[in-house]
Amino acid sequence: MAPRFLFFTGEPAVTLPLLKQRPAWVPVLSALTFNVTAGRMHRGRSADDDFRGALYFADVRDKDIERHNLRLLSEHAIPCWPAPGSLLAASERHAALARCVAAGLIDHPVVQAHFTPKPLLPFPYVLKIGEEHRGEGKHLIRSTGDIPRWDGIATVEPFFEGESVRVLLLGDRAFGVRIHNDSSWIKNSPGASFEAWSPTEAIVEHARRAMRLFGLEIAGVDYVVDPGGFHFIELNPFPRVGLSKESAEVAQEMFRGAMEAIEEAATSGLAGPALPA
């Protein structure tokens, strides 16, 4: 039986046309838990599934399922692109931000702490709770009455008023969008609209440094731009790549190359090193 492969996707409009051309690939459009038995990757207790590689490009809301599947791919050396370890490191919101601070990518105050009812920065500031992206778990703290209780570690940063922008990096290509949202101070949240924007060389190079820090080839790097310059907000390893027809085509070409490399790695018995760096 010919090998079969999984494509974890959160943007089917871009990825499904590719899958129609490659019948050995199966889309994963929802949060499913996979397991491995004797080198065979399968859904739950399925005795029929036999997946031999994966392309992982989906931000799963259930982070336990996401981490389980990525760790499974890594521990069993199943051919996967991007590298599961890189995705795990980048998707853990607080640890990833701490890594960016240590790398000198952030020049504003960042506090990470367990719950306290006391202010951690001068008002107003932003409190980030949980591990999700897409603007979730963010609270604008204007007074002590706004401080919610949280579990685990939270991140606190200054609140910057300015333009919210994203640098979308697809390999050597860079695209920019300005994000508008009249319904929320969290611009990249439900109700957001996107407008083409030309990023400066300085902000693109900064975004590339952030992407390289996690060993990725695709990333969405968010900033707030104000008269004082640009302020790094966060890196998303699963950004929306279909911001324009051109960006979608560039992403499809990258996905196509990764799929071919995964197929080759699976049939040759190799794992991660055979895939695109």
Side-chain angles (χ1 to χ4, degrees), residues 24-200:
W25 286 79
V26 177
V28 181
L29 301 171
S30 58
L32 297 176
T33 299
F34 288 82
N35 293 301
V36 173
T37 302
R40 177 178 64 87
M41 190 173 184
H42 56 90
R43 290 166 290 191
R45 298 179 180 178
S46 171
D48 299 321
D49 289 346
D50 186 3
F51 300 110
R52 296 291 170 166
L55 197 156
Y56 203 108
F57 201 75
D59 186 6
V60 179
R61 286 183 181 275
D62 189 324
K63 293 303 174 185
D64 290 336
I65 291 178
E66 179 176 275
R67 292 191 189 99
H68 168 84
N69 288 335
L70 288 173
R71 287 172 181 150
L72 196 79
L73 288 162
S74 179
E75 291 168 3
H76 292 272
I78 293 172
C80 179
W81 185 89
S86 295
L87 294 177
L88 280 167
S91 64
E92 294 178 349
R93 172 189 265 178
H94 307 292
L97 193 62
R99 189 169 176 177
C100 290
V101 171
L105 290 169
I106 300 175
D107 58 8
H108 59 257
V110 176
V111 178
Q112 295 190 319
H114 291 278
F115 174 74
T116 173
K118 298 179 181 179
L120 293 170
L121 283 179
F123 301 123
Y125 62 81
V126 175
L127 173 68
K128 297 178 181 179
I129 299 171
E131 297 288 356
E132 292 194 26
H133 293 270
R134 300 184 300 270
E136 297 194 21
K138 289 185 178 179
H139 301 264
L140 181 57
I141 309 301
R142 298 183 183 276
S143 69
T144 55
D146 294 329
I147 300 173
R149 180 172 291 276
W150 69 85
D151 297 322
I153 291 289
T155 295
V156 175
E157 299 177 88
F159 173 62
F160 297 106
E161 293 196 66
E163 288 190 327
S164 292
V165 300
R166 166 168 287 187
V167 178
L168 172 64
L169 298 173
L170 300 171
D172 294 332
R173 299 291 302 277
F175 299 85
V177 290
R178 186 180 288 112
I179 307 171
H180 302 281
N181 195 333
D182 294 332
S183 62
S184 174
W185 68 271
I186 305 172
K187 302 305 181 184
N188 189 23
S189 63
S193 61
F194 301 88
E195 173 191 5
W197 164 75
S198 297
T200 64

Side-chain angles (χ1 to χ4, degrees), residues 7 14-22 251-252 255-256 259:
F7 197 130
V14 175
T15 56
L16 290 185
L18 289 175
L19 298 180
K20 289 179 180 178
Q21 302 167 12
R22 309 182 89 92
Q252 286 176 332
F255 292 153
R256 188 176 291 110
M259 293 164 81

